Amino acid sequence: GHTKVKKKYMASLAEQGLKISQNAIFSYFLRKATGLFGKKAKVILLLRDAYTKLIDVKSDKSGFAQIRDVMFSFIRLVRSYFRGEYRNVSKKSIIVGIATLLYFMFPIDIIPDFIPILGYADDISLMAWFIKSFQEELTKYREWEQTQGIIPT
């Protein structure tokens, strides 16, 4: 019962996220993320800020805790990538993940006319889409973390 409902909810969130990922504003964030990729210090700052915002989000939306945990894994993956410890991931996955975090971090009030109805629901659905699309990469990373004896914080 409960798990089935949660999976269905996550799938519909991911579908909404797919629509957002195909939208012009997300293309803008992809371009920004591509430019950021070469700037390690800026990426590390973004990861820190995204981590803080993810912790601060008070959401009782079904599945948000799960999404938050997986996004924390992604943040750790990018840190490991930039430290040169972990390279078993495509550059494209990292860029799309960074774009997802940029979208999540973007202050909504800056462009209210440009984007109709934007809020946590959009952020969450975009993260759900990212997680669904890159589940394999994230799973490989978590397995690598275990082989390294890394305990996620």
Side-chain angles (χ1 to χ4, degrees):
H2 184 67
T3 310
K4 210 175 204 176
V5 169
K6 203 176 222 176
K7 272 195 171 146
K8 197 172 180 181
Y9 174 75
M10 293 295 275
S12 75
L13 266 185
E15 272 171 40
Q16 289 172 301
L18 172 64
K19 287 187 187 110
I20 296 167
S21 77
Q22 294 166 338
N23 135 351
I25 186 80
F26 193 68
S27 301
Y28 166 81
F29 287 116
L30 275 174
R31 286 193 303 278
K32 288 291 244 191
T34 304
L36 267 182
F37 191 82
K39 300 179 179 88
K40 181 180 170 180
K42 286 192 174 182
V43 171
I44 299 301
L45 271 176
L46 170 70
L47 296 177
R48 193 194 63 201
D49 293 347
Y51 182 85
T52 304
K53 184 174 175 183
L54 278 164
I55 284 193
D56 287 346
V57 172
K58 305 281 181 266
S59 177
D60 50 0
K61 271 196 184 295
S62 169
F64 184 70
Q66 194 182 342
I67 289 172
R68 183 181 359 223
D69 287 348
V70 179
M71 291 311 290
F72 287 157
S73 292
F74 173 72
I75 289 170
R76 292 192 310 273
L77 183 158
V78 177
R79 281 194 190 126
S80 298
Y81 181 89
F82 279 106
R83 286 186 196 130
E85 302 163 346
Y86 183 81
R87 291 296 168 124
N88 191 16
V89 61
S90 74
K91 183 179 169 181
K92 180 180 185 264
S93 295
I94 290 180
I95 288 172
V96 172
I98 290 172
T100 302
L101 290 176
L102 284 170
Y103 184 97
F104 174 64
M105 295 302 296
F106 202 74
I108 293 157
D109 50 357
I110 288 180
I111 47 171
D113 302 330
F114 186 49
I115 313 175
I117 319 158
L118 221 163
Y120 282 135
D122 285 350
D123 297 345
I124 292 168
S125 57
L126 190 67
M127 285 188 264
W129 163 78
F130 171 72
I131 290 165
K132 186 174 176 225
S133 305
F134 297 94
Q135 191 64 54
E136 215 172 287
E137 303 247 26
L138 291 163
T139 302
K140 277 192 305 193
Y141 176 71
R142 285 176 153 176
E143 286 165 1
W144 174 83
E145 274 184 323
Q146 286 173 343
T147 64
Q148 302 298 304
I150 296 168
I151 292 136
T153 51

